[in-house]
Amino acid sequence: MKFIKNISYKNIAYLFSCAIFFVLTSCEEDLTKSKGLQSKNFPSTIIYDAKIVQRDSGFISMKALAPIIEKYELIDSPYTVARKGINIEFFDKKKPKVPGRITAKYARIFEYKKFYEAKGDVRITTNEGQRFAMQSIFWDQKKQRIFTRDTVFVTMEDGSTLIGANGMTAKDDFSEYTFYKNSGNFSTKKLAESKK
């Protein structure tokens, strides 16, 4: 009788340890499955103190500086992000010695879509000397259009100012633009020249 009790306790202990083993391994599998779903949400490349130069047929078209750039390439819509700000100089072949500039506290680039966004104290200076200030701006490179719905403050090269209260759209080279709900002060000389 003692022998049977001894065996039954051993069997119960054995069955209990098997059950714990299977519970733990099934939990581990569930954890790895759930981590597998999230595992793509991390940067595949990180560049610190990034200095990027883009060329077009040997001509430098852009220079970019950023404290950190992260590339997310393992997801369905890959993108590159500069979370700690970016400073870009862009060059026009007509005026290669006078670059335009864009600075922002945050930028994200969807490379396949050719779509760019910049946020946080966005400042743009064209190579013509016009200065734009807003909180966010978007660039659709395929359509060659820049747009924002934020209030835009513009200072022209002659010192006149313009405020687009409901944003603007523009060609990406700033050769023409449209502001919404404008106000500002303009040089009367400039207005007279534009009417001619």
Side-chain angles (χ1 to χ4, degrees):
M1 193 78 142
K2 287 182 182 179
F3 180 69
I4 293 172
K5 282 184 182 178
N6 221 2
I7 290 174
S8 64
Y9 287 133
K10 285 182 181 178
N11 286 343
I12 291 170
Y14 175 75
L15 288 171
F16 186 69
S17 63
C18 286
I20 290 174
F21 172 76
F22 285 116
V23 166
L24 289 176
T25 56
S26 65
C27 288
E28 284 178 24
E29 286 176 19
D30 289 342
L31 288 173
T32 55
K33 284 178 186 172
S34 67
K35 285 182 182 175
L37 294 174
Q38 297 173 356
S39 66
K40 294 180 182 180
N41 195 14
F42 62 87
S44 55
T45 306
I46 301 174
I47 305 168
Y48 294 97
D49 295 324
K51 294 176 181 136
I52 299 167
V53 177
Q54 187 177 55
R55 296 177 190 272
D56 181 12
S57 304
F59 172 76
I60 294 175
S61 58
M62 183 196 74
K63 290 181 182 178
L65 301 172
I68 184 169
I69 290 180
E70 299 170 331
K71 288 186 140 197
Y72 292 80
E73 299 171 300
L74 305 174
I75 55 177
D76 293 336
S77 293
Y79 63 92
T80 302
V81 66
R83 294 183 196 284
K84 294 190 176 180
I86 196 161
N87 185 342
I88 300 172
E89 287 185 335
F90 53 93
F91 298 85
D92 187 354
K93 289 182 181 178
K94 295 173 189 171
K95 287 189 170 183
K97 293 185 179 180
V98 183
R101 284 189 168 76
I102 299 174
T103 60
K105 290 184 176 178
Y106 172 90
R108 186 163 53 165
I109 302 163
F110 294 93
E111 292 176 26
Y112 293 138
K113 296 177 182 177
K114 300 286 185 196
F115 191 84
Y116 304 76
E117 67 179 85
K119 294 181 179 179
D121 292 332
V122 179
R123 301 292 181 263
I124 301 172
T125 305
T126 67
N127 59 7
E128 300 289 334
Q130 299 161 325
R131 295 187 310 274
F132 296 79
M134 73 267 325
Q135 283 304 306
S136 67
I137 195 157
F138 304 91
W139 176 30
D140 188 333
Q141 190 177 10
K142 287 181 181 175
K143 294 180 181 177
Q144 298 180 326
R145 301 299 295 176
I146 291 175
F147 60 93
T148 184
R149 294 291 169 241
D150 293 342
T151 300
V152 181
F153 299 91
V154 185
T155 305
M156 303 300 194
E157 59 274 11
D158 67 352
S160 58
T161 60
L162 173 71
I163 299 170
N166 287 342
M168 72 169 204
T169 61
K171 276 191 172 180
D172 59 3
D173 63 357
F174 288 95
S175 59
E176 60 182 62
Y177 34 82
T178 303
F179 295 96
Y180 302 101
K181 289 199 175 177
N182 307 340
S183 66
N185 63 9
F186 293 93
S187 163
T188 52
K189 182 181 173 187
K190 265 293 199 207
L191 289 172
E193 286 175 3
S194 66
K195 289 181 181 178
K196 291 181 182 177

